[in-house]
């Protein structure tokens, strides 16, 4: 395992991971303190807000930024960045109007005790920050600016953790947790923009229109695929809130926070390294795409097996010891879902291959299938009278199967691209 980890780190991954370990490690380290500054219902509100912010954040940019790594011409890449920022501004403004009128309806639907009515303005501000963050991040991935990406990751996590703790000490209620997402994105975007350095030429309006036509499948197809992909991850917490109440949702939210944070540390770093390297090989038609995909995924699997076994065996004991006895149930949920997170850890970084290869319809088909199956996996057990644990077991089985299918799709698409070059 350690040889695999060493090999993985002997690349741009190590720079990105260093910043991620600082940022997300800080966020994980303050989790025991946050469970004492906020109550379970606050974490339930965070789960609902995070799910909606992630879904809306995937829509507002219209996925233009996902194409930034593809063009050979730098001016075309910058045109895509302009399209990303413009779409983000317009869509976030529309979202503000929707939240002004729809906040009370969301509170009724999700049982969030007035959160969206009181803080209706927070969601559009957060999505605006997320769209800007995505445009800057994709540009740095294209440039293989791994040091700058490390700065971004460090700033994002530490600022988010600091904001949550300070506002928690000030006893502002759930706003302390909800606003931390916005704070993290704004601070990291400022950090990325502040490290850009040299002045660059920007494309003309005509070139922006030409680029928009060339990559129109990204807003027309990838946006919907991306939304479905996000829903596949974010719908379970929302359905849990609606079906099982805020207490169970809060426990499940802690499970997600603890498992997703360390996984995100590595997945974020490897995803950006893989996307940049994979896109460069495609633009230059140099090197085997499938070999890169297999090397990254097998090394990730070797790294994650032992930690997954530890969680599967000792989950309730670890959660009870670290967070307090009342949170031990969250450890039981972790035992159930750890296999799903293992599959996500291995496959998620290399899944970007489909978009880099412009196989948008394959990605869309997978996202539609997974979203439908995940909704059924969480919803049907509750309707049939089973508890949350049963729903999480079904959810884990579905997620593992779908990630296995996604891995095969990426491998198929990579080998087909190699055959076309020959």
């Amino acid at each position: 395992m350690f040889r695999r980890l060493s090999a993985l780190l002997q690349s741009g991954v190590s720079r990105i991971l260093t910043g991620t370990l600082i940022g997300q490690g800080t966020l994980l380290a303050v989790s025991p303190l946050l469970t004492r500054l906020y109550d379970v219902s606050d974490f339930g509100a965070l789960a609902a807000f995070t799910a909606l912010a992630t879904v809306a954040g995937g829509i507002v940019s219209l996925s233009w930024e996902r194409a930034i790594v593809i063009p050979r011409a730098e001016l075309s890449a910058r045109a895509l960045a302009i399209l990303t920022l413009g779409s983000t501004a317009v869509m976030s403004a529309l979202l503000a109007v929707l939240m002004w009128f729809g906040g009370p309806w969301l509170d009724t639907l999700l049982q969030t005790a007035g959160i969206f009515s009181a803080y209706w303005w927070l969601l559009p501000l957060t999505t605006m920050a997320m769209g800007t963050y995505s445009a800057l991040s994709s540009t740095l991935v294209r440039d293989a600016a791994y040091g700058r990406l490390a700065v971004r990751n460090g700033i994002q996590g530490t600022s988010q953790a600091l904001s949550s703790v300070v506002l928690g000490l000030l006893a502002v209620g759930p706003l302390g947790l909800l606003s931390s997402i916005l704070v993290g994105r704004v601070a990291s975007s400022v950090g990325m923009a502040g490290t850009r350095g040299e002045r660059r030429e920007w494309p003309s309006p005509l070139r922006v229109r030409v680029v928009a036509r060339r990559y129109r499948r990204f807003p027309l197809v990838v946006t919907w695929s991306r939304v479905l992909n996000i829903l596949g991850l974010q719908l379970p917490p929302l359905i849990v809130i609606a079906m099982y109440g805020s207490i169970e949702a809060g426990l499940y939210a802690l499970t997600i926070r603890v498992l997703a944070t360390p996984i995100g540390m590595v997945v974020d770093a490897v995803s950006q390294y893989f996307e940049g390297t994979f896109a460069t090989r495609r633009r230059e038609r140099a090197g085997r795409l499938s070999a890169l995909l297999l090397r990254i995924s097998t090394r990730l699997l070797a790294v994650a097996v032992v930690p997954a076994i530890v969680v599967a065996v000792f989950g309730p004991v670890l959660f009870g010891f670290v967070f307090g006895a009342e949170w031990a149930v969250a450890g039981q949920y972790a035992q159930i879902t750890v296999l799903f997170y293992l599959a996500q850890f291995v496959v998620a970084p290399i899944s970007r291959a489909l978009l880099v290869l412009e196989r948008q319809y394959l990605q869309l088909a997978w996202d539609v299938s997974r979203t439908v199956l995940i909704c059924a996996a969480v919803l049907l057990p509750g309707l049939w009278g089973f508890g949350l644990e049963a729903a999480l077991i079904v959810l884990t089985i579905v997620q593992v199967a779908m990630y296995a299918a996604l891995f095969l799709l990426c491998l198929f698409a990579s080998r087909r691209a190699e055959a076309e070059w020959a």
Side-chain angles (χ1 to χ4, degrees):
M1 183 184 76
F2 293 107
R3 288 197 303 271
R4 296 286 189 181
L5 180 60
S6 175
L8 188 64
L9 292 178
Q10 291 174 1
S11 63
V13 174
S14 61
R15 299 185 193 176
I16 306 173
L17 186 57
T18 299
T20 305
L21 287 171
I22 294 171
Q24 296 300 313
T26 302
L27 194 59
L28 182 62
V30 302
S31 291
L33 178 58
L34 294 181
T35 58
R36 290 158 175 83
L37 292 174
Y38 301 94
D39 59 32
V40 174
S41 63
D42 292 333
F43 279 92
L46 175 64
F49 183 84
T50 300
L52 290 177
T54 305
V55 173
I59 295 174
V60 294
S61 68
L62 299 183
S63 297
W64 291 113
E65 82 282 1
R66 302 305 295 269
I68 288 175
V69 299
I70 297 176
R72 293 187 179 184
E74 287 295 326
L75 279 178
S76 296
R78 291 169 208 158
L80 288 164
I82 291 172
L83 290 166
T84 301
L85 295 174
S87 298
T88 296
V90 173
M91 297 296 287
S92 295
L94 293 175
L95 179 62
V97 175
L98 291 176
M99 288 302 299
W100 170 261
F101 292 104
W105 178 79
L106 283 175
D107 286 324
T108 301
L109 176 67
L110 301 176
Q111 304 177 33
T112 45
I115 294 298
F116 292 104
S117 299
Y119 307 123
W120 64 268
W121 46 269
L122 187 58
L123 187 61
L125 286 179
T126 301
T127 58
M128 183 69 193
M130 293 171 75
T132 303
Y133 171 94
S134 296
L136 292 170
S137 296
S138 294
T139 302
L140 295 185
V141 169
R142 176 184 173 85
D143 295 342
Y146 301 126
R148 294 176 180 178
L149 289 168
V151 170
R152 179 206 68 176
N153 292 346
I155 293 174
Q156 179 185 342
T158 53
S159 60
Q160 188 170 339
L162 181 62
S163 171
S164 298
V165 171
V166 170
L167 292 178
L169 292 172
L170 294 175
V172 300
L175 180 62
L177 288 175
L178 305 184
S179 62
S180 65
I181 302 173
L182 171 63
V183 172
R185 292 298 195 277
V186 170
S188 56
S189 294
V190 170
M192 285 188 284
T195 56
R196 289 309 306 263
E198 73 279 3
R199 296 185 61 182
R200 298 190 177 191
E201 179 185 359
W202 290 97
S204 66
L206 176 60
R207 187 171 193 121
V208 173
R209 289 196 297 271
V210 171
V211 169
R213 286 195 297 270
R214 164 63 178 85
Y215 294 99
R216 63 186 180 277
R217 279 193 293 177
F218 280 83
L220 295 177
V221 178
V222 175
T223 296
W224 301 110
S225 177
R226 186 178 182 183
V227 169
L228 290 170
N229 187 284
I230 294 169
L231 287 175
L233 297 175
Q234 300 302 327
L235 272 178
L238 292 176
I239 297 176
V240 167
I241 293 169
M243 295 289 296
Y244 302 97
S246 61
I247 301 299
E248 294 289 345
L251 293 168
Y252 182 50
L254 182 64
T255 303
I256 296 172
R257 187 182 185 96
V258 172
L259 293 183
T261 298
I263 287 172
M265 291 181 190
V266 180
V267 167
D268 181 69
V270 178
S271 294
Q272 292 166 42
Y273 168 76
F274 175 81
E275 183 178 19
T277 305
F278 195 85
T280 298
R281 289 191 179 189
R282 180 183 186 266
R283 290 196 303 267
E284 299 176 356
R285 299 195 174 189
R288 291 188 59 200
L289 300 177
S290 59
L292 176 64
L293 186 149
L294 290 170
R295 184 172 72 250
I296 294 295
S297 58
T298 53
R299 289 174 179 174
L300 287 172
L301 178 61
V303 168
V305 166
V306 172
I309 293 174
V310 170
V311 173
V313 176
F314 301 109
V317 176
L318 292 173
F319 274 68
F321 176 76
V322 175
F323 301 109
E326 67 273 19
W327 296 92
V329 175
Q332 296 176 13
Y333 297 160
Q335 285 181 309
I336 297 170
T337 57
V338 68
L339 187 60
F340 147 52
Y341 283 104
L342 174 62
Q344 183 185 57
F345 181 85
V346 173
V347 180
I350 58 94
S351 66
R352 300 190 181 192
L354 292 181
L355 294 185
V356 173
L357 294 171
E358 299 189 63
R359 302 299 296 271
Q360 294 97 332
Y361 290 106
L362 272 181
Q363 182 71 59
L364 180 61
W366 182 84
D367 287 319
V368 170
S369 301
R370 185 180 70 154
T371 302
V372 172
L373 291 173
I374 281 178
C375 288
V378 182
L379 189 60
L380 292 180
L383 294 176
W384 291 339
F386 292 95
L388 180 57
E389 288 191 4
L392 293 180
I393 291 172
V394 178
L395 173 65
T396 298
I397 294 172
V398 169
Q399 292 276 39
V400 171
M402 292 308 301
Y403 273 111
L406 180 59
F407 174 81
L408 294 176
L409 287 175
C410 292
L411 186 61
F412 163 78
S414 298
R415 287 178 171 169
R416 183 166 182 176
E418 292 168 353
E420 290 174 353
W421 299 349

